Amino acid sequence: MCGIAGIFNFSNSNDNNLEKKLSLVNELIKHRGPDGSGTWISKNSGIGLTHRRLAIIDLSENASQPMIDKNGNIIVFNGEIYNFKDLKEELSAEWEFNSQSDTEVILASYNKWGHECVNKLRGMFAFAILDEKKQSLFCVRDRFGIKPFYYVIKDGCFYFASEAKALIPFIEKELDYDAFKEYLFFQFYLEGKTLFKDIKELLPGHFIILDKKEFKLKKYWEVYYNIDFYHTEKYFIEELEKAFDESTKYHVISDVPIGAYVSGGVDSSLVALKASKFLNYDFYVFHGKFSYSNSYDESYYAKEVARKGNFKYY
C-alpha cells in the first residue's frame, strides 16, 4: 500500500501553514510507504499534495510521486492498475511515457478521456489528480472500495488522506454517535460516515470534482447481477475458470517478488495455486497461528497446500 494526502484551499485566502500541514499529514501516514516520500505545493493557490510510496511497479525514481505530467497535471495514487500495460499500448501513439509505472498510465488516461478515465481502469485504487490549469481536483475511489479515501471540508479547505487519523489535526474531535451505533451493529459505516462527525469516507464507485466554486460528488459505477437461465453447468464452470485465470494473470504483475498468505481454506489455496503457475520463480507462502491455542491452528492445512504446490513455506 501507499499513502496519499492533500489540501485544496478554495477560500481564495493564503495559507501560510500549508507546508507545515502537509508535513504533518505525511508523517502520520509514513507507515504506509517505506520506499519514498514526496510533496508538491502550488506556488500561489494554497494547494498541496503529498505521498508515501511502497514500490511495486517500476522501482525507479521515474515512478516517484507526486507525479507531474507534461500538461501540468499532478497525481498522488495508492493502489494498482491491473490493465495498465493494455492501456499504455493503447495510449502510446499519442503519449510519450517517461516511466514503466501504472501511475503515469492514469495521468495519460486522464489527459485523453478526462473524468471518464475511471471507466477504463481495472484495479484497486484511490487517487487525486490536480488539474492546475483548471484549478480543479479530481478524487476517485475504486469500484469496491478496496483502497481507502477520507476527506474533511473545514474552514474553506478540502483535506483528504488514506487514513482518517491523518485528518484529526484539522477537525473538532466530536464523535458521530449514529456512526458508532452503525459500526457496533453492522461492522461498517453507512453513507460514508466515520466515527468523527467532520471526517467522511468517499464511497466505493464514487468520485469528487472540486474547484474554487463547487463540490461535486458522483457515483460512476454500480454492480448489477443478471441471472442467466440459458447455459449449462459445464459452461459456467469453464467461464469461471477463464475469468479466474485472467484475473490472476493481471494480479501477479509486479517488479518485486510475490508471495501469498494461506490458511488451508479453499479461497487462499486456490489463489496461491493459480498465482504460482504464472510466475517463473520460487513461490513463497506464509501462515500465522495462535501459539496459545491449538483450536485456532490451521498450519497443518497450510503446509498441505505448500506441499501440493511445491511452495516455499514460512
Side-chain angles (χ1 to χ4, degrees):
M1 63 182 177
C2 293
I4 65 173
I7 301 172
F8 188 101
N9 187 334
F10 54 85
S11 66
N12 294 317
S13 61
N14 292 326
D15 186 352
N16 297 324
N17 294 316
L18 183 61
E19 186 174 355
K20 187 176 180 180
K21 288 178 179 177
L22 287 167
S23 178
L24 172 61
V25 174
N26 184 283
E27 183 67 18
L28 288 170
I29 59 172
K30 70 176 182 179
H31 57 281
R32 299 184 66 90
D35 299 325
S37 175
T39 297
W40 176 91
I41 297 175
S42 177
K43 292 180 180 177
N44 51 24
S45 59
I47 303 171
L49 304 172
T50 191
H51 184 265
R52 283 281 181 170
R53 185 184 183 195
L54 176 66
I56 302 293
I57 303 293
D58 189 346
L59 310 185
S60 74
E61 284 298 313
N62 290 339
S64 295
Q65 299 182 49
M67 182 181 286
I68 305 172
D69 71 17
K70 61 186 179 182
N71 296 320
N73 299 318
I74 306 102
I75 186 172
V76 284
F77 161 55
N78 171 32
E80 218 173 322
I81 306 301
Y82 301 129
N83 64 330
F84 80 99
K85 290 187 176 180
D86 299 334
L87 289 172
K88 185 175 183 178
E89 185 176 347
E90 182 179 351
L91 294 163
S92 59
E94 50 196 286
W95 188 269
E96 186 178 343
F97 286 91
N98 296 311
S99 74
Q100 302 301 316
S101 71
D102 48 352
T103 309
E104 189 177 7
V105 170
I106 300 175
L107 279 174
S109 300
Y110 175 79
N111 275 275
K112 182 173 178 61
W113 297 298
H115 301 142
E116 295 300 316
C117 71
V118 294
N119 298 312
K120 298 281 187 176
L121 305 177
R122 179 175 177 177
M124 53 178 182
F125 50 83
F127 64 81
I129 296 177
L130 175 67
D131 190 321
E132 200 171 20
K133 289 179 182 176
K134 296 179 181 178
Q135 287 290 284
S136 67
L137 191 66
F138 179 49
C139 305
V140 186
R141 193 175 181 199
D142 63 68
R143 292 163 178 79
F144 290 101
I146 299 170
K147 291 301 179 182
F149 191 103
Y150 297 93
Y151 67 93
V152 167
I153 300 176
K154 191 85 170 175
D155 300 328
C157 282
F158 175 82
Y159 303 88
F160 72 87
S162 294
E163 296 184 11
K165 75 172 187 180
L167 301 174
I168 290 176
F170 311 115
I171 64 166
E172 299 293 331
K173 300 174 184 65
E174 186 178 356
L175 188 67
D176 187 327
Y177 288 97
D178 288 336
F180 182 67
K181 286 184 285 186
E182 287 169 7
Y183 189 78
L184 288 178
F185 284 112
F186 305 115
Q187 295 298 297
F188 65 89
Y189 307 115
L190 302 175
E191 300 174 343
K193 299 172 187 172
T194 70
L195 284 177
F196 296 97
K197 275 192 173 181
D198 288 336
I199 301 178
K200 306 300 179 186
E201 180 183 31
L202 181 59
L203 290 171
H206 284 67
F207 63 68
I208 291 168
I209 303 171
L210 175 72
D211 60 28
K212 297 283 186 177
K213 295 180 180 179
E214 60 181 340
F215 173 94
K216 291 182 183 177
L217 176 63
K218 183 178 178 180
K219 180 189 288 186
Y220 69 86
W221 185 85
E222 189 169 1
V223 65
Y224 292 98
Y225 297 99
N226 296 315
I227 301 175
D228 185 340
F229 295 103
Y230 305 106
H231 289 94
T232 64
E233 180 182 356
K234 181 175 181 290
Y235 168 84
F236 288 116
I237 291 172
E238 289 173 350
E239 288 299 302
L240 177 61
E241 184 79 16
K242 283 195 291 186
F244 196 2
D245 278 347
E246 182 192 1
S247 180
T248 307
K249 268 186 183 179
Y250 275 118
H251 278 69
V252 297
I253 296 172
S254 173
D255 292 329
V256 294
I258 289 176
Y261 180 86
V262 295
S263 66
V266 173
D267 49 0
S268 67
S269 302
L270 279 174
V271 169
L273 289 165
K274 277 285 186 187
S276 66
K277 292 179 181 179
F278 298 112
L279 299 170
N280 58 2
Y281 51 78
D282 286 340
F283 192 72
Y284 287 84
V285 295
F286 307 84
H287 179 74
K289 66 179 183 179
F290 297 96
S291 58
Y292 59 81
S293 174
N294 291 329
S295 303
Y296 299 102
D297 186 1
E298 297 177 327
S299 58
Y300 168 78
Y301 305 103
K303 288 175 182 175
E304 277 297 295
V305 174
R307 187 181 65 79
K308 286 277 189 181
N310 195 27
F311 301 148
K312 303 289 185 181
Y313 174 81
Y314 280 97

